[in-house]
């Protein structure tokens, strides 16, 4: 039995080999994410080629998300944060990467640091310049996005609750309730919603998750997430296949206690 809710897995140095990707697809990795905050275009092209080659072996469609970095500032141990000094949310690097991604035939573009619907429209207009428009995933990670959440949901094709950067903007204890609010709004209008960041983060270094992480993924599904995402767990972690296997187990169990209603983002 396979889960209805989908697993989005980030491909990176830990998962670049064909055999690892093959095992991840075998264990129900549904969607691939490429994080353009890291790596070279050559590396991403290689990831895309490998994923497509292995997906063909399984006669499966594995959509690829290009996650644009947006105006972020890298901060060493403190990670990264939004560059408040920018005038436009879509950077020149983003535009260059977008051209590359569309040329490579990516299936979705995730936009970082969305603030309002105009950001979504800007990205869509930029795609038109390249002659190809693909669905847009709006990443919710700023206070401004929460203030304009209804118009962002309406303007975008998919919503991602990017809890990492969002946790830098709002008190951490508010994150579960923001997550619940966004999922409920997406359910009302039938927009797919992805819950992301640190879902099984201990599996970067350990072959099993914490009990709290299992509970987190479970409640993301119970609240109505259409997909849940693995980031460092599969991009740079030591146990990427085990993380996908565990995620699928948790989702299947959680779905025994739901009423369905999952929107398939593969459509």
């Amino acid at each position: 039995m396979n889960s209805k809710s989908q697993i989005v897995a980030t491909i990176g140095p830990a998962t670049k080999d064909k055999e690892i990707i093959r095992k991840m697809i075998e264990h129900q990795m549904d969607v691939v994410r490429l994080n353009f905050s890291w790596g070279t275009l050559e590396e991403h092209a290689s990831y895309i080629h490998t994923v497509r080659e292995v997906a063909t072996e399984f006669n499966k469609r594995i959509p690829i998300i290009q996650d644009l970095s947006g105006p972020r500032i890298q901060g060493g141990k403190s990670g990264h944060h939004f560059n408040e000094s920018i005038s436009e949310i879509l950077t020149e690097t983003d535009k260059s990467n977008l051209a590359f991604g569309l040329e490579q035939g990516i299936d979705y573009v995730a936009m970082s640091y969305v603030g309002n619907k105009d950001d979504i429209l800007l990205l869509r207009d930029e795609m038109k310049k390249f002659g190809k428009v693909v669905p847009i995933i709006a990443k919710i990670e700023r206070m401004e996005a929460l203030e304009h959440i209804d118009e962002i949901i309406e303007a975008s094709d998919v919503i991602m609750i990017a809890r990492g950067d969002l946790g830098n903007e709002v008190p951490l204890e508010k994150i579960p309730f923001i997550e619940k609010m966004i999922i409920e709004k997406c359910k009302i209008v039938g927009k797919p919603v992805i819950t992301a960041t640190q879902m099984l983060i201990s599996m970067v270094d350990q072959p099993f998750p914490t009990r709290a992480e299992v509970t987190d993924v479970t409640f993301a599904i119970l609240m109505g997430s259409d997909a849940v995402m693995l980031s460092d767990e599969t991009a740079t972690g030591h146990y990427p296949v085990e993380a996908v296997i565990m995620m699928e187990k948790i989702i299947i169990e959680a779905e025994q206690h739901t009423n369905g209603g999952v929107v398939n983002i593969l459509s």
Side-chain angles (χ1 to χ4, degrees), residues 11-70:
I11 301 300
T15 40
K16 63 182 180 180
D17 293 339
K18 186 182 297 185
E19 186 55 35
I20 293 178
I21 290 177
R22 185 177 288 117
K23 289 178 180 177
M24 292 168 71
I25 293 177
E26 284 177 350
H27 293 289
Q28 307 311 313
M29 173 180 71
D30 300 290
V31 183
V32 157
R33 168 184 175 252
L34 301 179
N35 184 358
F36 275 71
S37 297
W38 308 100
T40 65
L41 295 185
E42 291 75 17
E43 287 171 328
H44 288 298
S46 175
Y47 299 154
I48 291 169
H49 174 77
T50 303
V51 168
R52 291 209 169 114
E53 188 176 12
V54 177
T56 300
E57 293 176 15
F58 286 88
N59 195 29
K60 290 183 74 172
R61 179 173 181 255
I62 303 292
I64 297 174
I65 298 170
Q66 178 184 31
D67 194 335
L68 300 175
S69 63

Side-chain angles (χ1 to χ4, degrees), residues 5 50 83 88 109 114 122 129 164 168 171 179 183 191 197 200 232 235 242 257:
S5 302
T50 303
N83 183 356
E88 191 172 281
V109 174
V114 171
L122 174 68
K129 294 178 184 178
N168 295 330
E179 180 180 326
I183 292 172
K191 285 286 173 77
T197 319
L200 298 177
D232 292 346
E242 290 85 349
H257 305 270

